[in-house]
Amino acid sequence: MLKDGLPEDWKRELKSALDSPSFQELERFVAQEREAATIFPAEEDLFSAFRLTPYADVRVLLLGQDPYHGPGQAHGLAFSVKPGVPSPPSLVNIFKELEADVGEPRPKTGSLIPWAEQGVLLLNAVLTVRQAQPNSHAGHGWEDFTDAVIRAVSAKEDAVVFLLWGKYAQKKKKLIDAKRHVVIEGTHPSPLSASSGFFGSKPFSKVNQALESKGRPPVDWRLSR
């Protein structure tokens, strides 16, 4: 069963979504796809974001669209790649802005695991993809599940900062209680749009300012340690 890889704390928060007909159909779809084609990420990496960032620890939610579709790239964390894998263009732009914003030099690895371990939920709206076919698993039920994730995080009593890059992510703003939490919207870091507002937007320092304004500790964005 697809949901078997999800940690127990998240299963409790997402019970209604996991019991829904939409999720049951999604389980059948992903199982059929794994038999028919190469699907990323690997099954053991599917729920990495949830294992690395327990529900109780979430203080930032960074929303991506769907996984990288090249071999060895996707490992269950939005925008991140496995250690030793070259950083895709969007991630390169994230690192450029990270250096400009908080002075963190470009790391040797594209893995964002250190962020996830600090409570940054690196969530893609769609969690699987066919090799070399971006958005191939969009519209098959993942969006219902990840919308439920966003709602569950929005239901937390502790303030969370939601970082929404690009129009796709910003459509999810309606799922968030903006009175309790902080929503930071910005341009997507892809090469098509980074020069139109992502560079110079200082998202990392803005997130930390928002966290501190809510009495929560800032994120240590360093990856080169």
Side-chain angles (χ1 to χ4, degrees):
M1 297 289 285
L2 193 64
K3 62 185 177 184
D4 290 346
L6 197 63
E8 290 301 320
D9 60 333
W10 283 103
K11 283 182 183 177
R12 287 192 298 272
E13 300 299 330
L14 300 169
K15 186 177 187 306
S16 295
L18 295 173
D19 291 342
S20 69
S22 171
F23 193 83
Q24 293 165 20
E25 180 58 36
L26 173 66
E27 287 187 311
R28 288 190 287 270
F29 169 74
V30 173
Q32 292 168 356
E33 283 288 279
R34 288 202 185 276
E35 289 183 2
T38 299
I39 304 302
F40 299 132
E43 195 167 357
E44 62 268 22
D45 290 329
L46 180 60
F47 293 120
S48 293
F50 301 90
R51 286 197 300 272
L52 289 165
T53 312
Y55 177 76
D57 294 349
V58 178
R59 53 184 164 144
V60 178
L61 190 155
L62 174 54
L63 184 64
Q65 191 161 352
D66 76 328
Y68 295 123
H69 53 85
Q73 293 179 316
H75 65 130
L77 301 177
F79 295 105
S80 179
V81 293
K82 291 183 177 182
V85 175
S87 298
S90 289
L91 187 55
V92 169
N93 288 338
I94 288 171
F95 290 153
K96 287 179 180 177
E97 181 59 20
L98 183 66
E99 182 170 16
D101 184 5
V102 298
E104 165 69 359
R106 180 174 172 177
K108 296 178 181 178
T109 173
S111 170
L112 304 181
I113 287 175
W115 295 357
E117 291 175 335
Q118 294 183 72
V120 181
L121 182 64
L122 298 165
L123 178 69
N124 276 317
V126 176
L127 298 188
T128 53
V129 68
R130 275 193 178 209
Q131 179 173 334
Q133 295 182 38
N135 295 316
S136 50
H137 283 187
H140 289 279
W142 276 126
E143 295 90 344
D144 293 339
F145 172 75
T146 55
D147 280 1
V149 173
I150 296 169
R151 289 191 184 98
V153 173
S154 180
K156 286 170 62 76
E157 291 188 10
D158 292 334
V160 174
V161 179
F162 291 81
L163 187 52
L164 308 179
W165 285 333
K167 292 179 180 178
Y168 181 89
Q170 288 160 15
K171 290 179 182 178
K172 306 296 183 176
K173 185 178 180 179
K174 62 181 184 241
L175 307 175
I176 303 163
D177 181 355
K179 294 179 181 177
R180 179 185 303 163
H181 306 293
V182 178
V183 178
I184 297 175
E185 301 177 71
T187 305
H188 195 277
S190 77
L192 295 175
S193 57
S195 297
S196 301
F198 178 74
F199 292 136
S201 62
K202 299 186 180 299
F204 307 102
S205 57
K206 285 181 180 176
V207 167
N208 281 349
Q209 288 164 7
L211 287 169
E212 291 175 326
S213 76
K214 295 289 188 178
R216 307 207 69 187
V219 175
D220 181 350
W221 296 108
R222 290 177 297 171
L223 294 167
S224 57
R225 288 171 290 174

